[in-house]
Amino acid sequence: MERLVIIPTYNEKENVEAIIRAVMTLPLEFHVLIIDDGSPDGTADIVKGLMKEEFADKLFIMERQGKQGLGTAYIAGFHWAIEHQYDYVFEMDADFSHNPQDLLKLYDACANQGADVAIGSRYVSGVNVVNWPMGRVLMSYFASKYVRFVLGMDIHDTTAGFKCYRRQVLETIELDKIRFKGYAFQIEMKFTAYKCGFRIKEVPIIFVNRMLGTSKMSGGIFSEALLGVIRLKLDSFTRKYPKKA
């Protein structure tokens, strides 16, 4: 199978069935791996019900104990994807802030347009964010500008969490050396792929704030990202990055 969508969840009972069905009904076949961090609201039970009833060969779940962080969830999912030989691996939120239809655009960028990493970008063609408070839009937008300046990457949406990777990227970048667990993880993955010589392409999307459930965003997440990029930059002067084959 070519395509795997990894969706981390914590208390997403209002969204998880709908997002799985939206991915499964796309015109291309995608498999879905849910990584649930012990949601007390029964998110995992909903997924396991769908696995038994309808999507036994396409839907999978990894259950973890407690909230261990977004980064560790994705790293676990990436290892699973490599082990199962998926060619294209996607990151996506469960809350419909990422439109499942845009998976097709991200896949096309990697499969047909030469990208190694495709980013669903909120800022590559203006500011395409719906239903966020203006303060949060400005914080996110200028955080991305700051990261771009410090790290020297030609990427407009450095904190984006909607992405497609070719498997070669995940096999190359030494996943167990990725150390950030929150949203700075998204920056570190992009920067590491960039330093390894992979081609990164931004695909314009419209980001829509969640309608159901509770956001996991906090001020601490942005603090980690802002301070983390300085560490990434300083470490990059001495670290030897594996190169794209």
Side-chain angles (χ1 to χ4, degrees):
M1 175 59 200
E2 280 197 327
R3 295 169 290 271
L4 177 72
V5 182
I6 301 173
I7 305 177
T9 56
Y10 183 77
N11 285 350
E12 291 289 356
K13 68 177 183 180
E14 297 95 342
N15 294 305
V16 71
E17 179 172 351
I19 197 73
I20 288 168
R21 291 189 181 281
V23 174
M24 294 299 186
T25 55
L26 291 170
L28 289 177
E29 183 177 342
F30 290 83
H31 289 186
V32 174
L33 173 64
I34 300 293
I35 302 181
D36 187 70
D37 273 6
S39 296
D41 71 346
T43 297
D45 292 333
I46 294 170
V47 176
K48 287 185 281 190
L50 290 170
M51 289 168 65
K52 290 179 183 175
E53 294 163 16
E54 295 184 60
F55 304 121
D57 300 324
K58 299 180 181 180
L59 176 61
F60 310 93
I61 188 168
M62 183 184 299
E63 294 183 84
R64 309 195 308 166
Q65 296 301 312
K67 295 178 73 173
Q68 299 180 43
L70 182 78
T72 65
Y74 275 126
I75 294 297
F78 294 155
H79 282 303
W80 193 93
I82 292 168
E83 179 184 343
H84 291 83
Q85 297 287 295
Y86 286 91
D87 296 318
Y88 300 92
V89 182
F90 300 78
E91 295 182 14
M92 190 172 75
D93 290 349
D95 60 7
F96 284 93
S97 55
H98 303 145
N99 184 345
Q101 292 287 333
D102 288 333
L103 289 167
L104 301 172
K105 296 197 292 188
L106 296 179
Y107 171 69
D108 183 65
C110 285
N112 301 315
Q113 298 178 36
D116 298 306
V117 182
I119 299 169
S121 178
R122 298 163 291 186
Y123 306 130
V124 71
S125 59
V127 178
N128 293 311
V129 177
V130 177
N131 292 338
W132 260 9
M134 182 54 67
R136 187 168 168 187
V137 172
L138 292 173
M139 184 187 294
S140 173
Y141 178 76
F142 285 109
S144 275
K145 289 284 190 185
Y146 164 80
V147 173
R148 185 182 184 196
F149 173 75
V150 172
L151 297 182
M153 294 189 295
D154 188 19
I155 297 173
H156 293 83
D157 194 349
T158 54
T159 60
F162 192 21
K163 302 201 288 273
C164 174
Y165 300 93
R166 294 171 62 92
R167 186 174 75 220
Q168 181 193 8
V169 178
L170 301 178
E171 290 174 333
T172 300
I173 64 176
E174 300 175 316
L175 292 172
D176 293 328
K177 291 187 178 180
I178 301 293
R179 61 186 172 199
F180 289 113
K181 295 183 178 181
Y183 277 76
F185 162 82
Q186 303 291 8
I187 300 168
E188 186 175 6
M189 285 292 294
K190 295 180 187 72
F191 184 62
T192 307
Y194 164 76
K195 294 295 285 186
C196 291
F198 289 104
R199 184 183 175 206
I200 301 172
K201 179 179 175 63
E202 290 187 89
V203 176
I205 64 159
I206 296 174
F207 180 96
V208 180
N209 194 30
R210 68 163 62 235
M211 300 297 291
L212 300 171
T214 304
S215 173
K216 315 304 187 292
M217 188 68 73
S218 70
I221 284 170
F222 278 104
S223 297
E224 179 199 46
L226 293 175
L227 296 174
V229 295
I230 297 173
R231 286 177 58 191
L232 285 176
K233 184 65 174 181
L234 292 174
D235 289 350
S236 72
F237 292 126
T238 55
R239 179 178 170 185
K240 287 185 167 59
Y241 293 87
K243 291 301 179 184
K244 174 182 177 180

